[in-house]
Amino acid sequence: MADMTGERMTTGRPLTYREAVAEGIAREMRRDPTVVCLGEDIGAAGGVFKTTAGLHKEFGPERVWDTPISEQAIVGAAMGAAMTGMRPVAEIMFSDFLACCWDYLANEIPKVRYMTGGQVTVPLVVRTANGGGLGFGAQHSQATENWAFTVPGLKIAAPATPADAIGMMAAAIRSDDPVVFFEHKGLLATKGPPAPPGHLVELGRAAVVREGGDITLVALASMVPVALTAAERLATEGISAEVIDLRCLVPLDTRAVLASVAKTSRLVTVEENPYQGGWGGTLVSVVVDEGFGLLDAPVCRVAGECVPLPFADALEERVIPTVDKVVARVRDLAAY
Amino acid sequence: MDAAELLPLYEQMALIRRTERAAHDLFMSGLVKGTTHLAAGHEAIAVGASAALRPDDYVFATYRGHHHALARGATPEECLAELMSRATGLCRAKGGSMHLTKASVGMLGSYAIVGAHLPMAVGAAWSARLRGTEQIAVAFFGDGATNIGAFHEALNLAAVWKLPVLFVCENNLYMEYTPIAEVTAVARPAADRASAYGIPGEVVDGNDVVLVREAVAGLADRARAGEGPGVLEALTYRHFGHSRADPATYRPAEEVERWLKHDPLDLARARLEALGADTTDVDARVEKTVAAAVEAARNAPAPDPGEALTDVWADGGAAWRT
Ligand SMILES: Cc1ncc(C[n+]2csc(CCOP(=O)(O)OP(=O)(O)O)c2C)c(N)n1
């Protein structure tokens, strides 16, 4: 069970991404009594990914509710509670299962403020374990943030580090707008520096996680470490890559990307989701629309193949972007 | 129920009926875009239920929700203005007929995806319990909604969490054009299923405002006392077709005749007359109110086109990027 006390923060012990998720929720629950959690197995069991470990013990069953396997009821009830004074944090176990409650994410939650002429706000967070790389097969491995990206009215957060998981969870829970919070399965066991007390990462602020002058790599969630490793390899070849962790898809920090491209004049997006319909397409179109003159080369996208996620490691690797694929693409572009 | 209690309920029903007639006429004359799903014939359910609820209770309705908005306290003028795409509409002309909402009186919306709002009502009831208020939440829905997954997920969750929520089915015998009986395995699509979730399921004559009020009051008392949710199946009939100008020719003539004779307004009026009360003044007042509402809505301005880009986010705007 995660250590939910504050001591860890002061001792500065690195924490895992999964501990950070639970810690991020716990900090907000301590601060705000209207924050409540619901989801399958999130109570005493601590969640199938242990991302709610310790919450039930600290806050009890009146704040942390186990639900039946009822994705529509989970998200629909969270919506009703959010409309009437609570700040629910709903867990959908695997992001693939968002399809089971897609009506709420596509039709209900993001539209109600608009179609009621601003009468109703829906301050909720839907958290979910996203992405591949762990051999879970086609129905438990997709990177689905693009599904949400096509829906006006949803904010989308996808942290890449433990500290960001805490700071962005705080911002998501405090947001008066609905936020879909993608926790990447491939990052759950990764460790990072702790977050200071009160850590808050404003939604819609990308981070330059590596400075460079020759090319801009833009990545999200699990693709951030891939881009960083690629950047290190490229540095040995004399190519200096700047790496941007987008952190959010909505709001999308196009300013940070344009500023970086102004410096590097080259752009590659690194996406786990399929190329077709991926967020990189939108980002690239903004850069081409508004920053064409900044570019010295074509823009490129490294993205997942447009196939269901296969099971075997060798096959999964073929589908999802890898360091090798990013390095190869950047090399081509640098020579342009 | 004595005449003094029944008279205001009759007046509300008459106001709804008259407003629906106006909506129909405005639609036919091209002043209402899109579509409307009139609730003429269903008045006793909305009015009877509202009379049994507290002002701070929550109500969730479907695209056939004009009657719930009006019963809950929205004015004919703001409803008609919304239907007529005017800036003064209930939802500033962003919702339309299918999404009438007046949050300030607990009318938390009208939802056009069949069955979607049942889990929301469960959530509102959950929230009431978490906040320690004695509010209850009510979801009104059609018979067709009882075959959708959200109905079953909502009933089960409400039952296992013992929440103060009422599921009120307006069984008007038809979905759009298909009789519910043809596609449902049980005779009472809502009430018969309640027992599968350990919830009491009652059936009531949904055209009798007195009986509806009693039934809702009984279930509401139980829910407020912490005894959990209830299902009420109110039998009724729609006077118009499903939507727009649907002439509803799929309904047998004798069935239509039988139900039109069992009109909720006639029933209430007969009761009032038996109690020695006269409804002439009420009818005249309603006539004037709705005529004035139509006039005011007609004269109200269209929304500023800039309004299309507001209200997506809590800050009022629609920006998706920095
Ligand atoms: C999920 C979904 N499926 C289909 C429709 C199309 N549709 C709109 S109303 C309706 C009939 C619903 O009938 P019922 O629930 O009995 O309500 P009533 O219209 O009789 O009030 C249908 C099929 C829809 N809006 N949502």
Side-chain angles (χ1 to χ4, degrees):
Chain A
M1 185 169 295
D3 173 10
M4 301 310 299
T5 66
E7 276 114 75
R8 184 177 58 213
M9 295 300 116
T10 50
T11 58
R13 174 174 80 78
L15 77 167
T16 63
Y17 186 99
R18 65 158 50 83
E19 287 173 323
V21 170
E23 171 73 22
I25 301 168
R27 288 187 184 187
E28 289 309 298
M29 290 184 80
R30 288 179 201 129
R31 212 184 53 83
D32 179 353
T34 68
V35 179
V36 286
C37 296
L38 72 166
E40 295 159 23
D41 302 320
I42 68 160
V48 293
F49 295 110
K50 298 291 174 269
T51 42
T52 55
L55 298 180
H56 188 263
K57 190 164 174 215
E58 181 174 350
F59 301 103
E62 281 292 305
R63 305 272 309 271
V64 183
W65 293 62
D66 276 323
T67 64
I69 303 165
S70 296
E71 277 74 12
Q72 298 187 53
I74 293 166
V75 181
M79 178 181 175
M83 291 163 74
T84 54
M86 304 303 292
R87 287 189 179 258
V89 178
E91 176 176 310
I92 295 298
M93 198 182 273
F94 285 75
S95 64
D96 312 69
F97 310 166
L98 289 174
C100 298
C101 50
W102 193 236
D103 180 43
Y104 292 93
L105 291 163
N107 279 319
E108 315 295 341
I109 290 164
K111 290 178 181 170
V112 72
R113 157 169 277 278
Y114 190 80
M115 70 191 192
T116 64
Q119 292 181 62
V120 184
T121 21
V122 192
L124 60 73
V125 177
V126 175
R127 311 171 27 242
T128 190
N130 194 41
L134 298 181
F136 277 127
Q139 295 185 331
H140 289 73
S141 295
Q142 293 163 93
T144 66
E145 65 276 5
N146 288 294
W147 296 357
F149 193 48
T150 63
V151 179
L154 295 177
K155 293 194 168 165
I156 303 170
T161 67
D164 274 1
I166 289 176
M168 290 166 68
M169 186 67 75
I173 292 175
R174 292 178 205 183
S175 164
D176 288 332
D177 295 309
V179 180
V180 189
F181 199 91
F182 289 94
E183 296 155 15
H184 202 284
K185 293 195 285 291
L187 297 173
L188 290 172
T190 59
K191 286 192 175 172
H199 187 51
L200 185 77
V201 175
E202 193 190 329
L203 300 180
R205 281 279 167 89
V208 177
V209 290
R210 186 187 206 281
E211 304 235 4
D214 296 335
I215 188 155
T216 300
L217 297 180
V218 181
L220 186 77
S222 66
M223 290 298 116
V224 174
V226 169
L228 282 169
T229 310
E232 273 162 38
R233 285 248 294 274
L234 290 160
T236 64
E237 301 175 17
I239 300 170
S240 158
E242 177 144 301
V243 179
I244 293 184
D245 174 358
L246 272 184
R247 302 205 280 205
C248 282
L249 292 184
V250 180
L252 186 64
D253 195 348
T254 52
R255 262 200 307 228
V257 176
L258 284 163
S260 179
V261 173
K263 197 165 94 175
T264 63
S265 76
R266 283 174 166 75
L267 172 68
V268 173
T269 61
V270 187
E271 304 164 63
E272 179 175 339
N273 49 246
Y275 184 94
Q276 181 180 335
W279 54 258
T282 299
L283 188 65
V284 160
S285 77
V286 170
V287 170
V288 172
D289 252 359
E290 297 170 25
F292 191 71
L294 307 172
L295 293 164
D296 282 340
V299 290
C300 289
R301 295 175 55 209
V302 181
E305 298 293 343
C306 211
V307 298
L309 256 276
F311 166 66
D313 285 352
L315 300 177
E316 209 178 15
E317 243 180 52
R318 173 66 189 80
V319 169
I320 297 176
T322 58
V323 172
D324 286 345
K325 291 183 210 175
V326 176
V327 167
R329 205 77 173 103
V330 172
R331 252 190 226 130
D332 289 349
L333 202 63
Y336 182 85
Chain B
M1 199 183 283
D2 61 24
E5 263 186 295
L6 185 53
L7 211 52
L9 303 192
Y10 173 81
E11 177 155 0
Q12 269 196 318
M13 292 201 293
L15 189 73
I16 293 169
R17 176 69 57 88
R18 188 63 195 82
T19 306
E20 292 289 59
R21 165 57 64 185
H24 177 266
D25 294 348
L26 290 165
F27 183 86
M28 288 311 198
S29 54
L31 285 167
V32 173
K33 305 271 174 243
T35 188
T36 54
H37 303 77
L38 301 179
H42 290 218
E43 296 88 349
I45 300 171
V47 171
S50 269
L53 297 179
R54 285 190 348 194
D56 62 344
D57 288 333
Y58 300 117
V59 160
F60 294 79
T62 73
Y63 49 86
R64 193 182 310 285
H66 298 175
H67 52 327
H68 297 297
L70 290 161
R72 207 55 193 166
T75 66
E77 184 180 328
E78 56 198 2
C79 292
L80 290 172
E82 182 68 22
L83 267 59
M84 292 166 75
S85 311
R86 307 299 155 136
T88 53
L90 205 48
C91 306
R92 295 169 35 223
K94 287 183 175 176
S97 164
M98 293 204 277
H99 302 299
L100 295 185
T101 301
K102 189 163 180 172
S104 61
V105 295
M107 204 309 185
L108 286 186
S110 309
Y111 297 85
I113 307 296
V114 167
H117 59 303
L118 276 67
M120 294 176 212
V122 172
W126 179 48
S127 149
R129 163 147 154 212
L130 290 165
R131 289 177 290 111
T133 69
E134 278 181 0
Q135 293 162 290
I136 66 171
V138 185
F140 296 96
F141 54 95
D143 40 278
T146 62
N147 289 319
I148 207 159
F151 169 87
H152 298 273
E153 293 195 14
L155 262 63
N156 184 60
L157 189 64
V160 292
W161 287 3
K162 255 191 158 189
L163 296 175
V165 54
L166 307 187
F167 301 99
V168 179
C169 176
E170 304 185 23
N171 184 350
N172 58 19
L173 313 189
Y174 291 84
M175 303 189 293
E176 285 182 346
Y177 313 121
T178 305
I180 187 69
E182 280 182 17
V183 295
T184 307
V186 293
R188 296 281 173 239
D192 286 353
R193 263 86 168 254
S195 67
Y197 302 101
I199 301 177
E202 295 177 18
V203 179
V204 69
D205 178 350
N207 284 6
D208 188 327
V209 72
V210 176
L211 296 182
V212 171
R213 194 188 73 155
E214 268 172 27
V216 172
L219 292 170
D221 283 349
R222 263 188 94 250
R224 272 190 234 285
E227 289 170 52
V231 170
L232 181 66
E233 183 165 337
L235 302 177
T236 188
Y237 207 67
R238 51 171 153 76
H239 286 188
F240 293 94
H242 169 68
S243 63
R244 291 166 298 199
D246 164 28
T249 46
Y250 44 87
R251 302 192 302 192
E254 23 345 319
E255 179 189 282
V256 177
E257 197 186 333
R258 180 158 32 91
W259 277 97
L260 289 184
K261 273 199 201 126
H262 190 59
D263 180 298
L265 270 81
D266 293 347
L267 273 176
R269 201 183 301 107
R271 269 189 207 263
L272 282 165
E273 278 161 12
L275 292 166
D278 182 2
T279 57
T280 324
D281 286 355
V282 173
D283 292 333
R285 189 160 58 232
V286 162
E287 189 63 38
K288 259 178 71 182
T289 303
V290 177
V294 170
E295 217 27 52
R298 264 179 190 278
N299 294 329
D304 180 320
E307 285 280 305
L309 301 182
T310 64
D311 287 330
V312 173
W313 305 119
D315 67 9
W320 55 278
R321 48 173 284 196
T322 59

